[in-house]
Amino acid sequence: MNKLLPLYRGGVEAWECDQMRHMNVQFYMSKGSDAFAHLQNALGLSPSTIRATRKGLRFKTIRTQYKSEVHAGTALYGMGGIREVSGDILTGFIHIFDAIHGRLSAVYEFTADYADYDTDASLPLPGDIRAAAEELTDPHPDVFHPEPFAGTLMPNRPLDHMFESTRGSVDVWECDQFDHIEMRHVVGYFSDAATHIINAVGLTREIIRSRNLGSAALDYYSEFHAPIRKSTAILLKSGLIGAEKKIFRFGHNLINMDTGELAVTTTVIGVYFDMTTRKSVPLPKEFTDYPAEKLLKAQM
Amino acid sequence: MSGYMESYRGQVLMRECDLLGHMNIQYYGSRISLAMCNMFHIIGMDPDDLKNGKRGLAVVQQDSRYVAELHAGDIIHMESAVVGSSKKTVTVDHRLYNSVDDGLVFASRMTAAYMDLESRKAIPLSDAIRLKLVDLITDGEDVA
C-alpha cells in the first residue's frame, strides 16, 4: 500500500505572484488546502460525507516552511500523508514541489482534529476514520521532515508593543461552504501585515525599492484556538520578536473582535533578499536598530 | 488511458459556485489554465523558456462538454494528452474527473498556436518541441 499520497497538481498563475515577483504565501496555502481535501477523502471523509455530516478534519496547528521560491508559470505538485495518530489528533504533512526544477518548494506539517463544522466542537475521532488513518500511518523516513521550529513560539495571550497590522471583516467570498474563513485568507492577512511591520520599523516601500530589497518568509508556526466565521470583525496585531544578522522574527495575534477571542497565533521567521540575485542579505539597519524594549521576545 | 497524464488536482471552492449551486463555467477554464502549466513543461516549454524565448502557446480553438455538476468541496483532478499538432499548433485534450469516483465531469479539446510574444503572431513550432511531440502524441478518445 502506497502511503505517500498524490494530493495536488497545478501551477503558479501570474496573478498569484506579489511585488517580490514570486508566489505569495497565501496561494501556497490555497494549494495546501486543496491537498488537505484529497487527504480527507483518503481517510474516508469524502466531500459528500462532509456535506452530509457537516463534520470533518480541522487544523489545530500548521508548521510551514518555504524552501524555494516559485514564479509565474511554474508547474507544481503536492504529496502528503499521515505520520501519526495520537489520541484524537492526527499528525500529517503536505509537501508542495516545483515540478520544473524537481525540488521541494513548501512544507506543511500539521496536526488536525475531527470537528463539528457548525458548533466548532472538537469531537472524538470516529472509528472508521481512525482505522483509515492508522492504516495510512507511516513515519515516512525518506520524506523531508523539518527540524523543530527554531526559537520560542508566540504565546496564546496579548503582548505589549504589538501594533495593529490589519483590521477588517471576513467577507463571504473568503469562506468555505460551512461559513469558516478559508486558510488561504488567514495567511493573506499575515502577508498583508508584513508591509505594516516594515512601516513600523521605520521603512517605507519606496526605501525598500530604492535598496532593491525584497522580503520572504522562511518559516511559519500557526496555532488555531478559535473559529473565524463569515462577516466576523477581525483585528490582526503584530510585533517584532527579534532581529539579528539576516533573520527577523515577528509574531501575529489574529483576534475575533466579536468575541474578543485570540483565534490564531503565528510566529514567523523571515529574511530580506536582493531582488536581482535572489540571495539573502543582512537585515536593514532599521530592523536591527529597533528599540530592544519593544521587542516581543522580552515577554516570551 | 494511454497517453493521458495527470495535469491538475484540487478542489471546488464555495466562492466558485453560482446561483445554480454548482461551479460556474469560468472556473472549469481556470483548471485548464493550471493544467497547461504542467503540459507546457511536458512538451518542453518551461517558464524560463517562455520568458527568455518570448514564445508561448495561445488557444485558438476550444470545444468543451460539461458532463456532470460540481459542488463546493468536491475534489477533482484532470488528465490531459497531446492529441495532435500542425506546423504551428498543438492540440491538447483535457478530461476533468470527480476524484471520489473517477466520474467524468468535463471534457475539453483545445488547439493552441505557438506564438511570438513580441510580434504577436503564430510561428512554426520549434524543432525541440516538434521532437517532444513525436513521443507524446496519442489518439484522443471520444468520451461519452
Side-chain angles (χ1 to χ4, degrees):
Chain A
M1 180 185 183
N2 186 5
K3 298 181 178 181
L4 185 60
L5 306 171
L7 299 176
Y8 174 76
R9 191 173 293 274
V12 183
E13 297 285 14
W15 51 88
E16 294 174 331
C17 296
D18 58 23
Q19 69 271 27
M20 309 303 170
R21 300 200 294 267
H22 56 207
M23 188 168 75
N24 186 266
V25 287
Q26 66 185 295
F27 296 105
Y28 279 100
M29 190 69 249
S30 170
K31 295 161 199 320
S33 295
D34 282 5
F36 191 60
H38 281 268
L39 183 59
Q40 291 213 68
N41 183 61
L43 298 173
L45 289 165
S46 69
S48 59
T49 298
I50 292 171
R51 281 192 291 263
T53 62
R54 302 184 66 81
K55 298 178 180 68
L57 296 181
R58 168 184 66 178
F59 289 122
K60 296 291 288 178
T61 63
I62 302 179
R63 166 83 180 284
T64 310
Q65 277 194 339
Y66 301 99
K67 307 292 287 183
S68 60
E69 58 179 358
V70 288
H71 304 107
T74 302
L76 303 172
Y77 67 94
M79 308 290 289
I82 299 294
R83 292 198 194 274
E84 184 183 30
V85 181
S86 178
D88 290 317
I89 300 294
L90 302 181
T91 300
F93 66 96
I94 294 162
H95 293 177
I96 304 292
F97 292 85
D98 172 341
I100 306 295
H101 299 97
R103 64 190 178 205
L104 188 55
S105 181
V107 173
Y108 293 94
E109 298 277 338
F110 64 83
T111 59
D113 66 352
Y114 183 72
D116 185 311
Y117 289 159
D118 290 320
T119 66
D120 298 307
S122 182
L123 303 171
L125 200 57
D128 55 338
I129 309 301
R130 179 186 300 279
E134 287 174 347
E135 181 77 12
L136 273 177
T137 295
D138 189 307
H140 292 284
D142 297 331
V143 173
F144 176 78
H145 198 163
E147 295 292 322
F149 192 87
T152 309
L153 295 173
M154 280 290 288
N156 179 16
R157 58 181 166 80
L159 299 176
D160 293 335
H161 305 300
M162 296 189 81
F163 50 86
E164 185 174 317
S165 51
T166 300
R167 181 184 285 270
S169 60
V170 178
D171 288 308
V172 171
W173 49 89
E174 295 176 326
C175 293
D176 63 18
Q177 58 272 39
F178 303 102
D179 293 342
H180 288 103
I181 189 170
E182 288 174 9
M183 292 301 302
R184 167 201 155 181
H185 295 290
V186 172
V187 177
Y189 288 133
F190 299 151
S191 175
D192 288 352
T195 308
H196 290 272
I197 290 168
I198 289 170
N199 185 255
V201 301
L203 289 165
T204 64
R205 287 297 310 156
E206 189 177 349
I207 295 170
I208 293 289
R209 272 193 296 270
S210 71
R211 297 180 191 174
N212 199 33
L213 292 177
S215 63
L218 300 178
D219 214 334
Y220 270 51
Y221 193 96
S222 293
E223 297 173 276
F224 304 93
H225 311 292
I228 302 175
R229 288 182 165 274
K230 182 173 68 180
S231 59
T232 300
I234 54 116
L235 171 64
L236 184 66
K237 297 190 79 171
S238 307
L240 193 62
I241 296 171
E244 292 177 13
K245 297 178 181 174
K246 289 186 173 182
I247 299 291
F248 63 80
R249 296 165 184 273
F250 51 80
H252 300 298
N253 284 346
L254 186 60
I255 301 159
N256 180 331
M257 296 295 283
D258 288 348
T259 63
E261 291 173 299
L262 187 46
V264 186
T265 50
T266 293
T267 311
V268 179
I269 298 174
V271 294
Y272 273 78
F273 63 90
D274 183 288
M275 286 287 283
T276 305
T277 65
R278 315 301 288 181
K279 300 290 184 189
S280 63
V281 296
L283 286 174
K285 63 181 178 52
E286 288 83 354
F287 271 86
T288 50
D289 289 348
Y290 195 72
E293 65 273 17
K294 289 187 175 179
L295 295 175
L296 302 184
K297 65 182 180 183
Q299 306 167 65
M300 293 168 62
Chain B
M1 203 181 303
S2 175
Y4 284 75
M5 60 202 84
E6 183 175 293
S7 53
Y8 166 77
R9 181 171 289 270
Q11 68 172 328
V12 178
L13 300 177
M14 184 64 191
R15 65 178 165 79
E16 295 173 327
C17 297
D18 58 24
L19 278 173
L20 304 183
H22 59 205
M23 188 169 82
N24 184 265
I25 53 171
Q26 65 185 299
Y27 296 108
Y28 290 83
S30 74
R31 271 50 182 207
I32 290 179
S33 177
L34 289 168
M36 285 306 290
C37 283
N38 285 278
M39 296 311 289
F40 285 161
H41 177 50
I42 295 296
I43 67 174
M45 290 182 61
D46 288 345
D48 286 348
D49 295 336
L50 268 73
K51 191 167 58 182
N52 300 328
K54 307 288 185 187
R55 302 284 188 271
L57 280 172
V59 179
V60 293
Q61 182 171 342
Q62 185 171 357
D63 299 298
S64 300
R65 280 194 290 157
Y66 298 87
V67 181
E69 289 186 303
L70 287 170
H71 304 286
D74 277 343
I75 54 173
I76 50 180
H77 65 277
M78 185 171 274
E79 294 184 0
S80 306
V82 179
V83 295
S85 71
S86 70
K87 185 179 176 186
K88 295 182 178 178
T89 67
V90 179
T91 300
V92 181
D93 195 40
H94 301 286
R95 282 101 188 271
L96 186 66
Y97 297 93
N98 186 317
S99 303
V100 173
D101 58 8
D102 289 334
L104 182 73
V105 296
F106 172 69
S108 186
R109 182 168 296 204
M110 46 179 263
T111 296
Y114 193 55
M115 184 178 174
D116 182 314
L117 297 178
E118 288 182 340
S119 70
R120 316 305 291 183
K121 301 285 187 191
I123 56 173
L125 295 170
S126 71
D127 290 342
I129 291 175
R130 203 181 308 281
L131 272 175
K132 280 263 190 182
L133 293 179
V134 169
D135 290 334
L136 287 171
I137 287 181
T138 187
D139 291 332
E141 294 178 12
D142 285 335
V143 290

